[in-house]
Amino acid sequence: MNLIKKYWLPAAGAVVGGLTGYLYYKYVGCVTGTCAITSKPVNSTLYFAVLGAMLFSMFQRTEKKKPVE
């Protein structure tokens, strides 16, 4: 349960990014098939999922460690 509380924001970013990547593939895509990222739905979905997780994790608060006395 603690793991879910800790990483819920990057996980949500991965879901949003994956959905965005698939929609980008479907509606914009690559006509010629030579584009490395957008030529296949798996590539586009995974790439955007990683980007979404990294973007959302920027807004995650971290605990400050107390200095050792």
Side-chain angles (χ1 to χ4, degrees):
M1 190 63 150
N2 193 17
L3 190 66
I4 294 172
K5 287 182 181 180
K6 187 173 182 180
Y7 295 110
W8 74 272
L9 198 57
V15 170
V16 169
L19 181 62
T20 303
Y22 180 76
L23 292 175
Y24 185 85
Y25 162 78
K26 183 171 175 116
Y27 293 110
V28 177
C30 183
V31 178
T32 61
T34 59
C35 307
I37 296 171
T38 59
S39 63
K40 297 178 184 173
V42 173
N43 294 350
S44 181
T45 303
L46 290 176
Y47 182 77
F48 277 85
V50 169
L51 287 179
M54 289 191 317
L55 179 70
F56 276 42
S57 69
M58 288 184 350
F59 300 105
Q60 190 172 15
R61 293 184 184 197
T62 58
E63 294 180 16
K64 293 183 181 179
K65 295 184 178 180
K66 296 179 182 179
V68 178
E69 295 180 12

